Amino acid sequence: MISTRLILVLPLYALGFLQIAIAWPSVEPLAARASPDPLDSWLATETSTALQGVLDNIGSGGANTAGVSSGFVIASPSKSNPDYFYTWTRDSALTLKCLVEAFVAGNTNLQQTIQQYISAQAYLQTVSGLSGGLATGGLGEPKYYVNGTAFTGPWGRPQKDGPALRATTLIAFAKWLISNGQSSLANSIVWPIVQNDLSYITQNWNTSTFGKTDLWEEVDSSSFFTTTVQYRAVVEGNTLAKQLNQTCPNCVSQAPQILCFLQSYWTGSFILANVGTSRTGKDTNSILGIIHTFDPNTSCDDSTFQPCSPRALANHKAVTDSFRSIYNINSGIAQGSAVAVGRYAEDIYQGGHPWYLCTLAAAEQLYDAVYQWNKIGSITITTVSLAFFKDVYPSATPGTYSSAYTPTTFANITAAVKNYADGYMNMVAKYTPNDGSLTEQFSRLDGTPLSASALTWSYAALLTAAARRSSVVPASWIDSSLNSTPSVCVATSATGPYSTATNTVWPGTPPATTTRPPCTTPSAVTVTFTVLATTNLGDTIHVVGSIPALGNWNINNGVTLSPAAYTSSNPVWFGSVSIASGTSFQYKYINQHADGSIVWESDPNQSLTVPTDCGVSTATINDSWR
Ligand SMILES: *[C@@H]1O[C@H](CO)[C@@H](O)[C@H](O)[C@H]1NC(C)=O
Ligand SMILES: *[C@@H]1O[C@H](CO)[C@@H](O)[C@H](O)[C@H]1NC(C)=O
Ligand SMILES: *[C@@H]1O[C@H](CO)[C@@H](O)[C@H](O)[C@H]1NC(C)=O
Ligand SMILES: *[C@@H]1O[C@H](CO)[C@@H](O)[C@H](O)[C@H]1NC(C)=O
Ligand SMILES: *[C@@H]1O[C@H](CO)[C@@H](O)[C@H](O)[C@H]1NC(C)=O
Ligand SMILES: *[C@@H]1O[C@H](CO)[C@@H](O)[C@H](O)[C@H]1NC(C)=O
Ligand SMILES: *[C@@H]1O[C@H](CO)[C@@H](O)[C@H](O)[C@H]1NC(C)=O
């Protein structure tokens, strides 16, 4: 499909900055800047390598996508240690968000890839998995096989950021369709998919069902990243609805409450990235949330944690400082100079090294902030952000510095912040191999690339950071009518509507070549047993039954259930097992006490026939202990 190397269209680097220099001759003369910046020339090559790296990982034409269906994005070609050869809703949406931006900025070659992604997402919304079906939580399923079938192995699920990120990406493309006279396509193809995702968010943003709510797939409690991208999605979803003569009343009812809840992550000095963990809470998850909710047309608003807001800058310092002392490659780097950035200081995954996409996010937030200050025409330093500014501009004091009245200070501060941001880019440049490939991590000891190869998200992160550095920004999304927080936050949700997005054929494009499977009866179904059983500490619930998968009634060979979602008000035990479709069998739950003694459920035996429905590969059984 895409064999030629595509060049991302970017305007001149640092255009915004040069304009300031021209307007205010009191700053350093232009001639002093004439020698080419090595970062400019590295990025000129690296952005085209990164764009090709992204396209190589998108089916069905990408170089690394044998067996991948049309429009599906693989996280990485790596199939072992770690195995990332799957399609994640999150990674795919963030990758396509970057491609939609590049498309809107002028790279028209990307249109077909974007359309194939959208069609693939319409299909994925119909795939039932262990998180449920379309209207029953299934949109929270985090990852799928690359042929679009459900992944039914153990995983942290559901994950609630995926539908929000996908909605934002689709909305960005819908806006382009609308402004190019193709509202009917936005209405018929894109809106039905977006509407389902908006329904998922408005229904589930505040529910505490077991599931990994953070983007690193590790934490079960609420996550700043997830809440902030959910707020953005419902706000711009409502705007899109209005433009298409649709409505999203649930967006209107939930948005203020999501924004209200978002405020609770602010500690007074940094963002508590995940609620209720034993970690410090300083986590690049917050910086990623900030860059993915950047609005280039708004003030340095604290409530939405805009990149230039005092809160977001204080948080940038708190998070990046947490990596200064823990990585060998950061040793000796002075405060106020950029460091390598990882996910969070306590991280041990794959060695817990710095990540390219985290270091790039630290740069991107600062480029966004510089863009906002230039647009607004002033910088306000508050007591909250003072320590951030002092690191890069030691004489900083609280106050407002406008480009009109204090042009030199304004120009010096923006230059210092841009220079600091360039430091993060240079850190990435320093530890990128000569071929420009980007893995997931690089060694904390010596910067050697580590973990998954050719990580799609690393490439997308490089592209968006480089675009922001060049003042190429995404569309505005904030709606002032949904931007005030209620005086009291309340727990709430709103349900529906959901409907299958059936129209996936784009006019004027050849039918997608696809390896997508036809709908067939699965040979086996993953049956999840859930039973409400009030138990005491030390008890374990098992399910045993008349088939080998359930131990042939042998109490030692049944399926042991998990109490991971057990609460006193909802004492649920659950566990899954794969059983051939159509199998009929009997079963009972047993309670094994700490001393090994067994209590059986009362008679009669329960019985079940595993479904044989076309395309249905999961079934959930809801029992109560008898
Ligand atoms: C739901 O919202 C309420 C009010 O903002 C908040 O106190 C509670 O922690 C939220 N719970 C979850 C799981 O989001
Ligand atoms: C929405 O309705 C208005 C008024 O009826 C109409 O002018 C406009 O074209 C419609 N827009 C779309 C996208 O259908
Ligand atoms: C930017 O904001 C101004 C006022 O805040 C508004 O009038 C204008 O329409 C916005 N532009 C975009 C592109 O959203
Ligand atoms: C701005 O930077 C220039 C060049 O480094 C310096 O000479 C000048 O004193 C600075 N002015 C302010 C107000 O920071
Ligand atoms: C889809 O891919 C998975 C994993 O490779 C495989 O187990 C399954 O059989 C495939 N399904 C079809 C219909 O090809
Ligand atoms: C339950 O199944 C077991 C094993 O087949 C059998 O011995 C027992 O009689 C059954 N109980 C009832 C009440 O049918
Ligand atoms: C069990 O509950 C889940 C979640 O409410 C539902 O999706 C499923 O259909 C139920 N199973 C049966 C067999 O009713």
Side-chain angles (χ1 to χ4, degrees):
M1 174 184 70
I2 293 149
S3 54
T4 49
R5 185 160 274 232
L6 304 170
I7 310 295
L8 187 62
V9 178
L10 297 172
L12 288 172
Y13 288 117
L15 189 56
F17 181 78
L18 287 176
Q19 284 168 338
I20 295 165
I22 292 161
W24 309 108
S26 57
V27 301
E28 221 180 309
L30 272 177
R33 301 174 196 281
S35 63
D37 179 346
L39 182 55
D40 286 344
S41 38
W42 182 73
L43 282 173
T45 311
E46 185 62 20
T47 48
S48 68
T49 304
L51 180 57
Q52 189 59 43
V54 166
L55 296 175
D56 283 348
N57 288 353
I58 303 180
S60 54
N64 299 326
T65 61
V68 179
S69 296
S70 167
F72 288 103
V73 182
I74 58 168
S76 153
S78 175
K79 291 185 177 174
S80 66
N81 191 31
D83 181 0
Y84 284 1
F85 198 71
Y86 293 91
T87 189
W88 267 264
T89 304
R90 169 191 313 108
D91 296 41
S92 304
L94 291 173
T95 301
L96 266 292
K97 180 166 168 266
C98 158
L99 294 189
V100 172
E101 256 178 45
F103 168 70
V104 171
N107 188 341
T108 53
N109 294 315
L110 298 171
Q111 183 162 3
Q112 195 182 352
T113 303
I114 294 164
Q115 291 173 348
Q116 288 172 347
Y117 161 78
I118 293 172
S119 301
Q121 298 307 302
Y123 173 78
L124 273 193
Q125 285 191 336
T126 69
V127 176
S128 293
L130 292 185
S131 297
L134 173 62
T136 54
L139 302 186
E141 185 65 16
K143 74 172 192 184
Y144 300 82
Y145 288 118
V146 300
N147 58 16
T149 58
F151 170 72
T152 53
W155 205 254
R157 60 168 68 87
Q159 295 181 16
K160 297 178 185 171
D161 56 340
L165 298 168
R166 178 166 59 201
T168 286
T169 296
L170 267 57
I171 290 165
F173 188 65
K175 283 180 179 163
W176 180 86
L177 289 172
I178 292 168
S179 50
N180 285 273
Q182 299 178 57
S183 296
S184 65
L185 287 180
N187 234 327
S188 61
I189 302 185
V190 186
W191 171 253
I193 310 169
V194 170
Q195 185 178 42
N196 289 330
D197 284 336
L198 297 175
S199 295
Y200 179 88
I201 301 165
T202 58
Q203 183 171 359
N204 295 293
W205 73 271
N206 194 221
T207 53
S208 54
T209 50
F210 180 73
K212 305 293 176 189
T213 63
D214 74 318
L215 80 175
W216 309 134
E217 312 188 298
E218 294 177 342
V219 176
D220 287 331
S221 57
S222 300
S223 162
F224 173 84
F225 177 84
T226 302
T227 305
T228 198
V229 298
Q230 287 173 333
Y231 174 67
R232 174 183 178 157
V234 296
V235 169
E236 61 185 347
N238 183 58
T239 305
L240 178 68
K242 286 193 277 191
Q243 289 174 331
L244 295 175
N245 293 338
Q246 306 281 355
T247 61
C248 186
N250 293 347
C251 296
V252 177
S253 73
Q254 300 304 298
Q257 284 300 334
I258 304 176
L259 184 63
C260 201
F261 182 50
L262 186 64
Q263 309 313 306
S264 69
Y265 294 94
W266 177 244
T267 63
S269 55
F270 66 94
I271 294 164
L272 186 73
N274 305 299
V275 175
T277 70
S278 57
R279 303 180 194 155
T280 63
K282 294 171 188 167
D283 186 317
T284 308
N285 145 350
S286 57
I287 296 179
L288 287 158
I290 288 163
I291 63 174
H292 289 297
T293 54
F294 163 50
D295 185 327
N297 191 36
T298 198
S299 64
C300 296
D301 174 33
D302 265 339
S303 77
T304 56
F305 295 87
Q306 285 305 304
C308 63
S309 67
R311 285 178 174 181
L313 294 170
N315 182 71
H316 187 284
K317 173 175 166 58
V319 172
T320 54
D321 280 358
S322 72
F323 298 102
R324 288 186 182 274
S325 59
I326 65 166
Y327 298 147
N328 295 36
I329 57 171
N330 288 344
S331 76
I333 296 178
Q335 197 71 33
S337 293
V339 286
V341 177
R343 303 194 303 174
Y344 50 90
E346 303 89 340
D347 194 8
I348 54 167
Y349 173 69
Q350 292 276 324
H353 297 278
W355 284 44
Y356 291 102
L357 72 91
C358 293
T359 308
L360 290 161
E364 186 169 327
Q365 183 191 329
L366 302 180
Y367 294 133
D368 292 347
V370 169
Y371 181 93
Q372 290 177 311
W373 291 321
N374 282 328
K375 179 104 194 249
I376 297 163
S378 71
I379 297 173
T380 298
I381 300 177
T382 71
T383 52
V384 170
S385 58
L386 180 61
F388 166 84
F389 283 103
K390 275 186 165 304
D391 277 353
V392 296
Y393 185 77
S395 60
T397 48
T400 295
Y401 306 94
S402 91
S403 57
Y405 302 117
T406 48
T408 318
T409 308
F410 179 85
N412 282 9
I413 298 174
T414 49
V417 173
K418 165 141 188 315
N419 185 49
Y420 184 40
D422 281 352
Y424 289 95
M425 299 296 268
N426 278 318
M427 186 63 72
V428 167
K430 179 174 177 184
Y431 296 121
T432 298
N434 288 339
D435 68 1
S437 63
L438 294 176
T439 56
E440 179 184 75
Q441 307 183 22
F442 51 103
S443 167
R444 60 201 292 156
L445 300 174
D446 61 10
T448 307
L450 293 173
S451 190
S453 60
L455 191 82
T456 318
W457 191 356
S458 294
Y459 290 130
L462 184 287
L463 291 172
T464 54
R468 299 300 175 268
R469 183 172 185 269
S470 305
S471 304
V472 175
V473 297
S476 172
W477 63 271
I478 289 178
D479 172 353
S480 57
S481 74
L482 295 176
N483 195 24
S484 54
T485 48
S487 51
V488 183
C489 298
V490 295
T492 167
S493 95
T495 305
Y498 296 95
S499 63
T500 305
T502 49
N503 185 2
T504 59
V505 180
W506 296 89
T509 53
T513 52
T514 175
T515 55
R516 185 175 299 157
C519 178
T520 52
T521 301
S523 56
V525 171
T526 301
V527 178
T528 300
F529 291 89
T530 70
V531 59
L532 297 173
T534 302
T535 49
N536 296 316
L537 201 61
D539 290 352
T540 309
I541 302 290
H542 310 262
V543 55
V544 294
S546 60
I547 51 172
L550 296 176
N552 281 328
W553 291 115
N554 180 334
I555 56 168
N556 298 317
N557 295 337
V559 173
T560 302
L561 304 188
S562 164
Y566 187 101
T567 61
S568 54
S569 58
N570 186 36
V572 63
W573 289 78
F574 68 95
S576 301
V577 61
S578 177
I579 304 176
S581 309
T583 308
S584 293
F585 60 93
Q586 295 197 317
Y587 67 98
K588 262 188 185 177
Y589 297 98
I590 60 174
N591 184 353
Q592 181 174 33
H593 295 316
D595 65 3
S597 62
I598 300 285
V599 177
W600 286 78
E601 263 193 312
S602 56
D603 284 334
N605 293 330
Q606 317 219 45
S607 54
L608 182 72
T609 300
V610 177
T612 53
D613 300 336
C614 170
V616 176
S617 59
T618 64
T620 300
I621 312 304
N622 307 307
D623 288 322
S624 291
W625 176 272
R626 293 196 305 227

